[in-house]
Amino acid sequence: MQSLEGRLTIRHLRLVDAIAQEGNLVRAAQRLNMTQSAVTKALQEVEVLIGVALFKRTNRGTVPTSYGENLASHARIVISQLRHAGRDLADLRDGLGGRVAIGTLLSATVSLLPLAITKVLEARPNIKVKIVEGTNDTLMPLLRIGELDFVIGRLPEYRERTGILQEILTDDHAQIVVRDGHPLIGRSNLSLRELVHWSWIMPREETTLRRQLDEAFRREGVEPPHCSVESVSILANRALLLATDYLAVWPAELAAAEERYGIVSLPVALPTTHRPIGISTRAQAGLSPAAEAMVRTLREVAKNR
């Protein structure tokens, strides 16, 4: 395969990205404001330049080959980085101070991230902050393609760490929570074995916390309980807890903060849920000035907690 340095252009990358995302030359042409024949010709030029087939036509549309998938993945990162660079330069030119897109998990949303944002905006009021809440299985792909500057929360396990740098800020563990007045409150010597048959609100199976909770039950010799609801929504989970006798598992800091709403933590240890909270960034991408300022402040906030 020929060396591509200095030969592939942004036009080529946009073309490959559009075809890969649309899965159809006609729709890709519409997206790029080109004719279908022009898209076909341009694709042929790229394939000749690279020396391999990037796409193949099937009854399911235009499907990328392994080479096409790889190049499209790189193309999305480059395009995203250029888009963010353009925004940062425009913001600096207009005196807006830059932007930062942050992915956050439940464990960081209670105080760590809000405190850092408050401090940064006090010092740099023109920075614009975008927050995307989710779980590692949804946030890490967004981080890899450059849609997020970094992710803050419980650090992912090995399966989600390829191409990702991790920085530990503090520690976290989870607690089982119920509503005030729940029948289990006041019971002594509670164990997970006694809680198996209750109805539970749990994180999705793809999440680290759910896997850790399942492991906690298995260590006590019982299978994990039936999950009535899968959710990481604070508002929905709080409402369900207050209206029912469900049990849920929340980060300890969130559980403490929710006491004012009538949420109570049960005295059941969950040692398998201990996990560091930290920052995840792309291994081969630098942070913008706005993102770097936010990361510095997160370190300070975590250190002084």
Side-chain angles (χ1 to χ4, degrees), residues 1 43-44 46-57 63-71:
M1 185 179 297
L43 176 58
Q44 291 171 346
V46 177
E47 291 180 328
V48 169
L49 173 64
I50 296 176
V52 295
L54 297 175
F55 296 91
K56 56 184 178 182
R57 296 194 180 189
V63 180
T65 64
S66 59
Y67 298 108
E69 288 181 352
N70 186 274
L71 183 57

Side-chain angles (χ1 to χ4, degrees), residues 141-175:
L142 294 177
L143 175 62
R144 286 192 175 91
I145 65 173
E147 289 300 316
L148 298 174
D149 292 296
F150 63 87
V151 174
I152 173 77
R154 289 169 69 91
L155 292 175
E157 295 174 310
Y158 292 102
R159 68 182 65 190
E160 287 134 357
R161 284 172 51 179
T162 304
I164 300 296
L165 293 179
Q166 295 182 345
E167 177 183 346
I168 296 174
L169 296 179
T170 185
D171 293 316
D172 180 46
H173 69 278
Q175 292 181 315

Side-chain angles (χ1 to χ4, degrees), residues 8-304:
L8 276 179
T9 67
I10 294 300
R11 173 176 168 272
H12 292 145
L13 296 179
R14 292 189 187 280
L15 175 80
V16 172
D17 177 49
I19 298 173
Q21 291 203 42
E22 297 294 342
N24 181 285
L25 292 181
V26 174
R27 291 196 298 270
Q30 293 171 344
R31 177 173 175 167
L32 296 168
N33 196 26
M34 298 169 62
T35 65
Q36 182 181 348
S37 60
V39 167
T40 301
K41 181 179 179 181
L43 176 58
Q44 291 171 346
E45 291 174 356
V46 177
E47 291 180 328
V48 169
L49 173 64
I50 296 176
V52 295
L54 297 175
F55 296 91
K56 56 184 178 182
R57 296 194 180 189
T58 71
N59 55 7
R60 294 183 290 114
T62 306
V63 180
T65 64
S66 59
Y67 298 108
E69 288 181 352
N70 186 274
L71 183 57
S73 176
H74 286 289
R76 280 191 288 273
I77 293 174
V78 172
I79 293 167
S80 178
Q81 288 287 83
L82 286 174
R83 182 169 62 249
H84 289 311
R87 288 175 179 172
D88 284 343
L89 290 172
D91 290 342
L92 290 170
R93 179 197 63 205
D94 299 334
L96 297 177
R99 304 171 188 234
V100 55
I102 306 168
T104 181
L105 292 87
L106 273 179
S107 51
T109 57
V110 180
S111 64
L112 188 59
L113 183 58
L115 284 172
I117 291 174
T118 300
K119 287 180 176 294
V120 169
L121 291 181
E122 284 176 353
R124 304 185 180 199
N126 292 324
I127 286 180
K128 291 187 178 180
V129 180
K130 175 183 177 181
I131 299 174
V132 179
E133 190 175 63
T135 52
N136 277 319
D137 61 303
T138 59
L139 296 177
M140 288 302 156
L142 294 177
L143 175 62
R144 286 192 175 91
I145 65 173
E147 289 300 316
L148 298 174
D149 292 296
F150 63 87
V151 174
I152 173 77
R154 289 169 69 91
L155 292 175
E157 295 174 310
Y158 292 102
R159 68 182 65 190
E160 287 134 357
R161 284 172 51 179
T162 304
I164 300 296
L165 293 179
Q166 295 182 345
E167 177 183 346
I168 296 174
L169 296 179
T170 185
D171 293 316
D172 180 46
H173 69 278
Q175 292 181 315
I176 298 173
V177 294
V178 296
R179 65 172 175 83
D180 191 13
H182 192 284
L184 289 172
I185 294 177
R187 292 267 298 272
S188 60
N189 301 318
L190 274 177
S191 69
L192 290 178
R193 185 180 291 274
E194 298 174 72
L195 305 181
V196 169
H197 301 296
W198 289 82
S199 296
W200 286 76
I201 304 168
M202 290 188 178
R204 297 197 306 274
E205 291 183 351
E206 299 85 359
T207 62
T208 299
L209 183 55
R210 176 65 175 275
R211 291 190 290 268
Q212 292 172 336
L213 182 61
D214 288 350
E215 176 62 19
F217 278 96
R218 293 190 177 104
R219 286 190 182 184
E220 290 212 6
V222 294
E223 282 301 302
H226 169 72
C227 176
S228 299
V229 179
E230 286 190 345
S231 167
V232 292
S233 167
I234 296 176
L235 293 178
N237 292 354
R238 180 203 297 155
L240 283 169
L241 284 174
L242 293 176
T244 68
D245 285 339
Y246 286 1
L247 284 68
V249 180
W250 284 355
E253 190 169 340
L254 174 61
E258 290 289 299
E259 289 178 359
R260 57 183 168 173
Y261 297 110
I263 300 299
V264 178
S265 296
L266 295 180
V268 181
L270 295 173
T272 60
T273 66
H274 283 262
R275 183 77 186 160
I277 292 178
I279 298 167
S280 298
T281 56
R282 294 189 300 283
Q284 297 180 346
L287 293 173
S288 68
E292 182 60 46
M294 190 66 69
V295 167
R296 281 198 309 271
T297 306
L298 281 166
R299 292 177 186 134
E300 294 169 4
V301 170
K303 183 179 180 180
N304 295 325

